[in-house]
């Protein structure tokens, strides 16, 4: 399969998805392409970038409006042009996601756990903590306990401060004394690892042919590189942010997360520079 054919197949499949969300893709482009290049973009450039994904101008405008309403973006009018930038909270959230999406999987674990005790919180606050800390990889060990074996404590501090709980939530450190197999079974259920693994399998099956085509040293256009890179990160992000990044000691023996990470890293490196050249042209 040629690179162009692989790219077109990827884009066609992406456009045909019944649950395609423009706001989600715009979020990916902001995180992967715009935030590292200053963090501000003219709306017209964003509309141009989204066109090849089958997202029209009206849908881009609607999605950007919602991201502003939800506190992710803010706008500034310069002349007759509208420019959009990440808000302070939006930038913090993007930085947290960046640590996970572009970071390396955990290799060494000291056997300790970070535990969040929710029993002193009211029900609405518990729900907020479960949702926000879930993005950091915390899983429910019980109705009132969230746990993670190796969280980024700086990101946890930022999240608790944003929720107004910096001094209101008990955070403990613990260690498994015995029952390692029972803990692996609990981890498998608490984080729904079977579902995450199936998503990784699907990711690898979808992008391996693209990587093979790119690796065959065939010519690839800058635009095609941008399309591949964006869909790659979009799909990897959607799986990875469900993945708690547990240490190998807690993962199933046939876990596909490592293969997905290697594939994403290698394909991203292969198309990164040419995708940046395309961004130089359209933004």
């Amino acid at each position: 399969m040629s690179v162009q054919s692989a790219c077109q197949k990827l884009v066609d499949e992406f456009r045909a998805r019944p649950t395609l969300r423009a706001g989600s893709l715009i979020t990916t482009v902001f995180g992967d392409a715009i935030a590292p290049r200053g963090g501000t973009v003219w709306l017209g450039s964003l509309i141009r970038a989204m066109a090849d994904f089958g997202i029209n101008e009206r849908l881009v405008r609607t999605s950007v409006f919602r991201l502003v309403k939800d506190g992710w973006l803010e706008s500034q009018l310069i002349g007759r042009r509208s420019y959009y930038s990440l808000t302070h909270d939006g930038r913090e959230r993007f930085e947290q996601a960046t640590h996970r999406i572009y970071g390396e999987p955990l290799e060494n674990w000291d056997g300790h756990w970070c535990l969040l005790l929710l029993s002193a919180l009211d029900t609405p606050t518990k729900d907020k903590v479960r949702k926000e800390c879930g993005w950091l990889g915390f899983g429910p060990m019980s109705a009132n306990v969230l746990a993670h074996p190796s969280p980024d404590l700086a990101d946890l501090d930022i999240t608790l401060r944003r929720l107004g709980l910096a001094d209101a939530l008990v955070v403990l450190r613990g260690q498994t004394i015995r029952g390692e197999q029972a803990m692996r079974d609990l981890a498998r259920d608490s984080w729904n690892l079977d579902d995450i693994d199936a998503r990784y399998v699907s990711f690898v099956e979808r992008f391996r042919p693209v990587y093979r085509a790119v690796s065959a040293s065939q010519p690839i256009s800058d635009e095609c590189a941008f399309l591949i890179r964006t869909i790659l990160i979009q799909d990897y992000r959607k799986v990875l942010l469900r993945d708690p990044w547990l240490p190998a000691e807690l993962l199933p023996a046939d876990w596909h997360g490592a293969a997905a990470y290697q594939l994403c890293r290698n394909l991203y490196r292969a198309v990164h520079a040419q995708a940046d050249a395309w961004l130089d042209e359209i933004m």
Side-chain angles (χ1 to χ4, degrees):
M1 182 184 296
S2 69
V3 174
Q4 192 62 40
S5 297
C7 178
Q8 191 60 53
K9 182 178 180 181
L10 195 65
V11 172
D12 289 345
E13 186 274 335
F14 184 81
R15 286 183 169 191
R17 294 178 187 178
T19 57
L20 174 62
R21 292 178 54 203
S24 177
L25 186 64
I26 289 172
T27 298
T28 292
V29 172
F30 254 93
D32 185 60
I34 297 171
R37 299 163 67 89
T40 300
V41 67
W42 172 45
L43 181 60
S45 295
L46 194 58
I47 291 170
R48 171 67 186 87
M50 293 296 100
D52 287 331
F53 299 102
I55 299 174
N56 60 37
E57 178 178 344
R58 179 188 61 79
L59 195 51
V60 173
R61 291 181 181 275
T62 301
S63 300
V64 167
F65 174 78
R66 288 174 179 165
L67 289 170
V68 170
K69 187 177 179 181
D70 291 341
W72 287 89
L73 301 178
E74 57 189 2
S75 64
Q76 180 182 12
L77 191 64
I78 301 178
R80 301 180 63 181
R81 290 186 168 189
S82 295
Y83 289 81
Y84 288 86
S85 307
L86 294 170
T87 62
H88 174 75
D89 284 350
R91 189 173 293 278
E92 278 192 343
R93 290 169 181 261
F94 269 72
E95 288 175 354
Q96 288 177 313
T98 295
H99 293 163
R100 299 192 64 199
I101 297 170
Y102 302 93
E104 295 184 5
L106 179 68
E107 292 186 356
N108 300 307
W109 179 46
D110 62 5
H112 287 88
W113 290 81
C114 179
L115 307 174
L116 310 182
L117 305 188
L118 311 184
S119 53
L121 307 177
D122 58 44
T123 299
T125 304
K126 288 181 183 178
D127 292 340
K128 290 180 181 178
V129 173
R130 290 189 187 103
K131 179 180 179 182
E132 293 297 322
C133 291
W135 290 118
L136 302 181
F138 281 86
M141 286 297 179
S142 71
N144 289 308
V145 178
L146 297 179
H148 194 282
S150 56
D152 186 311
L153 294 180
D155 284 345
L156 177 60
D157 288 342
I158 290 172
T159 297
L160 296 183
R161 187 181 72 246
R162 186 168 62 239
L163 293 172
L165 298 173
D167 298 315
L169 187 67
V170 177
V171 181
L172 299 178
R173 180 178 171 87
Q175 186 175 14
T176 305
I177 302 300
R178 60 176 58 88
E180 285 79 6
Q181 183 56 52
M183 179 57 76
R184 282 194 290 273
D185 294 340
L186 180 59
R188 191 164 194 153
D189 294 337
S190 296
W191 281 279
N192 199 4
L193 296 183
D194 290 339
D195 176 70
I196 296 171
D197 191 62
R199 293 172 184 270
Y200 275 134
V201 171
S202 178
F203 174 87
V204 170
E205 291 175 347
R206 186 159 55 254
F207 286 95
R208 183 171 285 158
V210 182
Y211 179 62
R212 286 172 177 164
V214 171
S215 300
S217 300
Q218 300 177 20
I220 177 174
S221 69
D222 294 346
E223 182 178 11
C224 184
F226 170 71
L227 294 172
I228 291 173
R229 180 175 126 180
T230 302
I231 297 176
L232 175 74
I233 289 298
Q234 168 76 358
D235 286 3
Y236 188 60
R237 176 177 72 90
K238 289 175 66 177
V239 184
L240 186 72
L241 294 184
R242 296 172 180 265
D243 184 353
W245 270 26
L246 301 179
E249 294 91 330
L250 297 171
L251 293 173
D254 56 349
W255 182 248
H256 292 85
Y261 165 75
Q262 293 286 348
L263 174 59
C264 183
R265 183 188 68 175
N266 294 340
L267 180 53
Y268 191 93
R269 285 177 171 175
V271 299
H272 174 270
Q274 285 189 259
D276 260 10
W278 179 246
L279 289 166
D280 287 340
E281 181 176 338
I282 66 171
M283 294 191 177

